[in-house]
Amino acid sequence: MQVSEMSGKECRELLARQGWGRLGCALDNQPYIVPIYFVAEGDSLFCFATLGRKIEWMRANPRVCIQADEIRSRYDWKSVVVFGRYEELLDDAEHEQARKHAVTLFSQRDAWWEGAYASDEVRKHASDPIPVVFCVHMTQITGLEAEPDAGQVALDVAQQKW
Ligand SMILES: Cc1cc2nc3c(=O)[nH]c(=O)nc-3n(C[C@H](O)[C@H](O)[C@H](O)COP(=O)(O)OP(=O)(O)OC[C@H]3O[C@@H](n4cnc5c(N)ncnc54)[C@H](O)[C@@H]3O)c2cc1C
């Protein structure tokens, strides 16, 4: 297996294709990771959530990390890591255009609100869910990809048959 670096363009293309990844945030030296959908545009990843732990943590510490991948086999994969800064697109005049733009981007996916609202059903509170639109501004992006050797290609083909 050969591992090589992906270009910035290849990393961005993977993020755009995949549209979901794992969001890492941290508070008081405690990391927390959850899967999340996003829409990649330029140097930004736009996300939708309802108020819960990850939003509370990112409000307190806006330094976040997102990882996304495409794994065909253990010898054939691509993985992208983004470091970035959380910015909440508040429901106010200042952020109105950016929020509208984010919702237009989200609308390209069916039932884009479902993951966020469904998550609220298990929270133990009496109030209505509080929607949150946010953006991760990418500050650094890296990607690695693995390609199988000839023998590993044959092994993958054999394993897929069975
Ligand atoms: C493919 C995929 C896409 C998703 N996309 C979105 C999205 O776009 N927006 C969105 O808001 N949510 C999405 N979710 C759900 C998301 O992963 C979280 O479960 C959800 O957002 C709640 O996170 P929270 O920090 O608000 O947790 P809270 O509701 O505050 O939950 C408190 C605790 O519950 C546990 N918990 C929460 N989520 C998970 C989890 N996923 N797995 C195991 N334990 C958990 C943790 O211990 C957490 O600290 C997606 C999930 C999947 C699998």
Side-chain angles (χ1 to χ4, degrees):
M1 179 173 79
Q2 307 288 324
V3 174
S4 57
E5 288 185 7
M6 295 166 65
S7 68
K9 181 170 176 282
E10 289 169 327
C11 292
R12 284 176 171 74
E13 286 169 355
L14 183 147
L15 294 171
R17 268 196 313 274
Q18 280 300 93
W20 78 280
R22 298 155 197 92
L23 167 72
C25 52
L27 194 64
D28 298 332
N29 286 326
Q30 173 61 64
Y32 177 47
I33 300 173
V34 280
I36 193 156
Y37 290 112
F38 53 72
V39 180
E41 189 187 61
D43 281 336
S44 303
L45 298 172
F46 292 91
C47 304
F48 180 71
T50 47
L51 185 61
R53 178 165 288 172
K54 65 181 173 307
I55 298 297
E56 285 162 2
W57 284 31
M58 292 188 294
R59 283 175 175 173
N61 176 8
R63 295 171 68 157
V64 301
C65 184
I66 289 185
Q67 188 270 344
D69 52 52
E70 289 174 343
I71 302 174
R72 294 183 61 197
S73 77
R74 65 187 152 129
Y75 312 115
D76 187 355
W77 49 260
K78 297 178 199 290
S79 169
V80 170
V81 169
V82 171
F83 292 98
R85 180 176 52 80
Y86 170 83
E87 185 193 9
E88 203 162 311
L89 303 179
L90 298 167
D91 191 7
D92 61 16
E94 184 190 336
H95 298 91
E96 190 183 344
Q97 285 308 318
R99 262 178 91 94
K100 275 190 186 158
H101 181 63
V103 171
T104 305
L105 295 175
F106 298 150
S107 310
Q108 294 162 14
R109 203 183 70 239
D110 287 345
W112 54 270
W113 59 85
E114 199 169 23
Y117 279 104
S119 304
D120 193 70
E121 287 165 19
V122 293
R123 294 190 189 117
K124 312 273 185 285
H125 62 70
S127 58
D128 288 339
I130 300 171
V132 177
V133 178
F134 67 93
C135 174
V136 172
H137 299 285
M138 300 187 221
T139 53
Q140 188 191 339
I141 181 166
T142 57
L144 294 179
E145 63 182 322
E147 289 184 65
D149 302 330
Q152 291 166 337
V153 171
L155 191 62
D156 272 353
V157 171
Q159 283 173 341
Q160 278 161 19
K161 270 191 187 164
W162 292 98

